[in-house]
Amino acid sequence: MNVHFPQDEISRAEAYNIVNANEQYIVPTSGDPIRGLIQDHVVSATLLTKRDTFLTKDDYQHLVYSACVSTTPPVFQRAKSCPKIGIVKDDYSFLSLPPAIWKPQPLWTGKQVITTVLNYVTKGHPPFTMKKAGKVPGDYWGKSSGELKAVIQNNELICGVIDKAQFGKYGLVHTVQELYGAGTAGHLLSVFSRLFTGYLQMHGFTCGVADLLLVPQAEDDREKKLEKSETLGDSVHSQFIGADGDQREFEGMEEDIEKHLRSKGEVASSRLDRLMSSALNRLTSDVNNGLFPKGLLKPFPSNCLSLMTMTGAKGGLVNFTQISSLLGQQELEGKRVPRMVSGKTLPCFPPWDSRARAGGFIGDRFLTGLRPQEYYFHCMAGRDGLVDTAIKTSRSGYLQRCLIKNLECLKVHYDYTVRDSDGSVIQFTYGEDGLDVMKTSCLTEFKVLAANRELVSQKLGESKFMETNCQYSNYSNKERPLNGYMEELPEAFENKLQTFFNGLSKQKRKSLKLRKQSRFLNLMRLKYISSLAQPGESVGVIAGQSIGEPS
């Protein structure tokens, strides 16, 4: 195969089905989505879809047009009879929504922009329904805000925001991929990309020093709590040597600590590290819980750094706490900073020092700077991570190569068995259930499948399936064979399906239009058959990559 131009039908098929990025939405190792929007797009999506975002008619139409109409293909075509008239292609026509607010001026919400886009992307197909909890914790938006869960009913975004969770497993894009196919999901990502880029250019997004600051009351509380770390080390070490810390002289305790650690060696050192880490982690959590989100000078979502970390755009709460709160306990290979033979962790500390600071606990933060000792401990932890990564790379690379070279001949055959190059049976059914991981991510999401039964039926071709299987019409569901080689559904899958159906109330069944249980069971049966691994699938290579890649 020529890299730039496929020169035969096999290469052409590979380009369509393997090289094509839209077809690689799901990871073969775990079934999780791998494609999605990141960083600025996630921030822009959250800003656009939060409740207090309102747009004028010009802004609304500009965003929808710039998102839905690609600049690559020609938008207008000239009419032959009248060259001055331009005709808009039907592919780029979309239906705008009425404004959410009419007086004193017409205003559209950001959620309506998403609704318009979804109507455009799924044009010609039935609308879909889904629910997915957001990435942002409840105490940031407020429990009564209605933004904790994204709810889409018949393509309309009713409540919730678009954040990182909607680009992850069972999110908005994943649901579209499952119900409409990979091409539609790829198109949706392209449209979202243009939309969120356009809105961010309108709105802007900049992190400043004010985003890092705390209110004075929170600052005082932080300092008071961190003062406890000065005495926390003494109390934990007293517990370690089995003494009453309040009545113990510090010099005598140092000698006892040395005696315990030298006599019992690694076991005693590990126990002391566990005790100290546990106590300090509780202190760190207590400090951070008091600061985020209520202790910030600029509250969420106007705080840009908080918005960025909480929505999953970039970084996390750990990064925010290290900037504004404290760095916490530094660990090397899962332990605290080791002592030298002299009993010191650094030359500037006394031997067998029981203070938390001497063991690698950093109560400072990046906002106000680190002291030299804390900076050194932090560099030690960073160096340890780099070295660990460098060593792991060579080992895991060779491990993965060995696995793949030994498993590359395994593939699924036409009787759904896994065999090697000489035809020896390795497994009678691939993975004990015969399912392809890339097709099973939503197999047990019965709520989504039931709410979008029409779409699932249309995608799987249920009507054709029922026609071709009319020979089994006299059989019950359990007696009807799945195909020539598999007789029945796995018991665990059937039990889950039955539990789901039995748990629905009459009102819920009516709303989902699930009056006949047999109809839904047949659809799930078809869904299961459609999720089987295809003959010829190189399952050995996938297994080798699945084991080698995470390490």
Side-chain angles (χ1 to χ4, degrees):
M1 173 181 175
N2 188 306
V3 174
H4 302 286
F5 186 77
Q7 295 181 344
D8 58 11
E9 289 301 321
I10 295 177
S11 304
R12 188 167 178 267
E14 285 182 357
Y16 268 109
N17 298 294
I18 298 177
V19 181
N20 183 14
N22 286 343
E23 298 296 333
Q24 304 302 322
Y25 181 77
I26 300 293
V27 182
T29 58
S30 60
D32 296 339
I34 193 171
R35 299 187 77 201
L37 301 181
I38 57 171
Q39 298 185 9
D40 286 347
H41 284 146
V42 177
V43 169
S44 179
T46 307
L47 291 171
L48 175 63
T49 53
K50 60 189 177 71
R51 293 183 72 177
D52 58 347
T53 299
F54 292 98
L55 305 165
T56 62
K57 182 179 180 180
D58 290 345
D59 290 340
Y60 168 72
Q61 293 187 344
H62 169 71
L63 284 175
V64 172
Y65 184 84
S66 62
C68 297
V69 179
S70 174
T71 56
T72 311
V75 178
F76 296 102
Q77 62 182 27
R78 295 289 182 183
K80 292 181 180 178
S81 58
C82 186
K84 293 184 179 180
I85 297 176
I87 303 172
V88 179
K89 283 191 174 183
D90 186 57
D91 292 345
Y92 300 116
S93 62
F94 44 84
L95 188 65
S96 60
L97 300 175
I101 295 176
W102 286 94
K103 297 291 183 180
Q105 64 169 332
L107 292 174
W108 284 258
T109 65
K111 290 179 171 61
Q112 287 182 296
V113 177
I114 300 296
T115 302
T116 308
V117 166
L118 292 177
N119 287 334
Y120 165 73
V121 171
T122 61
K123 186 168 55 178
H125 299 280
F128 73 100
T129 299
M130 63 150 287
K131 292 181 182 178
K132 170 69 177 175
K135 173 89 172 172
V136 182
D139 53 345
Y140 279 77
W141 288 118
K143 293 183 179 178
S144 59
S145 64
E147 303 285 45
L148 305 184
K149 182 183 288 187
V151 178
I152 296 176
Q153 186 75 30
N154 294 329
N155 280 3
E156 183 178 358
L157 179 58
I158 297 172
C159 62
V161 296
I162 306 294
D163 56 17
K164 189 68 174 178
Q166 303 309 322
F167 299 105
K169 195 168 187 178
Y170 306 137
L172 168 59
V173 183
H174 191 191
T175 305
V176 169
Q177 188 267 345
E178 179 69 23
L179 299 176
Y180 295 96
T184 306
H187 185 208
L188 179 64
L189 285 173
S190 299
V191 170
F192 273 169
S193 176
R194 293 193 291 266
L195 171 65
F196 299 145
T197 301
Y199 183 70
L200 200 62
Q201 289 172 341
M202 291 167 52
H203 185 277
F205 182 78
T206 305
C207 291
V209 177
D211 297 322
L212 314 176
L213 300 177
L214 307 174
V215 295
Q217 180 63 43
E219 196 73 65
D220 294 339
D221 291 343
R222 171 184 171 273
E223 290 179 3
K224 288 177 183 177
K225 289 176 181 176
L226 286 178
E227 285 175 3
K228 296 179 183 177
S229 66
E230 298 295 329
T231 58
L232 190 64
D234 291 346
S235 60
V236 172
H237 280 74
S238 298
Q239 179 188 348
F240 169 67
I241 61 176
D244 297 328
D246 297 335
Q247 304 170 359
R248 191 82 179 172
E249 287 293 331
F250 183 65
E251 294 178 1
M253 191 165 68
E254 284 181 339
E255 295 174 2
D256 288 345
I257 292 169
E258 180 181 4
K259 196 180 297 181
H260 270 72
L261 291 176
R262 289 199 187 279
S263 61
K264 297 181 181 178
E266 189 67 30
V267 177
S269 179
S270 299
R271 179 169 170 266
L272 178 59
D273 285 350
R274 284 197 303 272
L275 290 172
M276 282 295 293
S277 296
S278 176
L280 291 170
N281 287 341
R282 285 195 297 270
L283 176 65
T284 304
S285 299
D286 187 31
V287 172
N288 291 335
N289 291 338
L291 300 183
F292 304 100
K294 296 179 181 178
L296 295 171
L297 187 63
K298 286 180 68 176
F300 179 89
S302 58
N303 187 310
C304 292
L305 188 63
S306 181
L307 181 70
M308 182 171 62
T309 54
M310 287 297 104
T311 57
K314 190 72 174 175
L317 187 60
V318 173
N319 303 110
F320 203 172
T321 57
Q322 288 184 340
I323 294 171
S324 297
S325 179
L326 76 162
L327 269 68
Q329 177 65 49
Q330 303 299 296
E331 293 189 345
L332 304 172
E333 298 178 355
K335 301 175 184 176
R336 294 197 310 151
V337 178
R339 299 177 189 270
M340 296 182 283
V341 180
S342 60
K344 301 178 180 180
T345 52
L346 284 179
C348 58
F349 292 119
W352 313 106
D353 195 346
S354 61
R355 288 177 299 170
R357 182 173 174 239
F361 179 75
I362 303 179
D364 296 337
R365 54 189 175 178
F366 291 129
L367 180 64
T368 50
L370 306 182
R371 286 169 284 182
Q373 295 86 350
E374 275 78 357
Y375 178 69
Y376 192 83
F377 284 144
H378 191 55
C379 288
M380 287 173 70
R383 172 69 63 87
D384 184 63
L386 290 173
V387 172
D388 192 44
T389 305
I391 293 171
K392 270 186 178 178
T393 305
S394 59
R395 291 181 179 175
S396 62
Y398 180 61
L399 170 69
Q400 183 166 347
R401 184 179 185 277
C402 293
L403 284 167
I404 289 178
K405 293 304 289 184
N406 282 281
L407 296 174
E408 63 185 356
C409 59
L410 302 186
K411 64 179 182 180
V412 179
H413 281 244
Y414 284 97
D415 57 355
Y416 292 94
T417 58
V418 179
R419 300 173 184 252
D420 60 11
S421 54
D422 63 355
S424 302
V425 176
I426 305 299
Q427 200 172 26
F428 287 105
T429 307
Y430 170 52
E432 306 297 341
D433 55 12
L435 295 174
D436 185 352
V437 179
M438 293 182 70
K439 302 175 184 176
T440 57
S441 52
C442 290
L443 187 61
T444 55
E445 293 297 303
F446 300 124
K447 283 186 179 179
V448 177
L449 298 175
N452 301 282
R453 196 175 70 258
E454 184 182 355
L455 274 169
V456 177
S457 175
Q458 182 178 310
K459 183 184 177 184
L460 298 177
E462 184 185 13
S463 56
K464 293 181 180 179
F465 174 77
M466 298 307 291
E467 290 174 9
T468 55
N469 284 270
C470 60
Q471 55 180 319
Y472 297 120
S473 57
N474 296 326
Y475 293 88
S476 66
N477 277 322
K478 290 190 176 180
E479 294 173 340
R480 187 184 304 171
L482 286 175
N483 54 39
Y485 296 98
M486 300 184 72
E487 293 294 328
E488 57 185 11
L489 291 172
E491 187 177 347
F493 181 75
E494 280 195 341
N495 291 341
K496 281 184 180 178
L497 186 56
Q498 199 66 46
T499 303
F500 163 75
F501 205 88
N502 294 338
L504 295 175
S505 61
K506 288 185 178 180
Q507 187 177 0
K508 190 68 175 176
R509 289 186 192 182
K510 190 175 181 181
S511 65
L512 292 173
K513 299 178 182 178
L514 291 177
R515 294 173 185 173
K516 291 186 178 180
Q517 181 178 358
S518 58
R519 178 81 186 275
F520 185 64
L521 291 176
N522 282 331
L523 183 61
M524 291 299 98
R525 188 184 186 84
L526 175 58
K527 173 72 175 167
Y528 189 90
I529 295 172
S530 304
S531 302
L532 293 173
Q534 295 297 309
E537 186 78 49
S538 299
V539 293
V541 174
I542 293 174
Q545 287 179 334
S546 303
I547 297 169
E549 191 268 332
S551 62

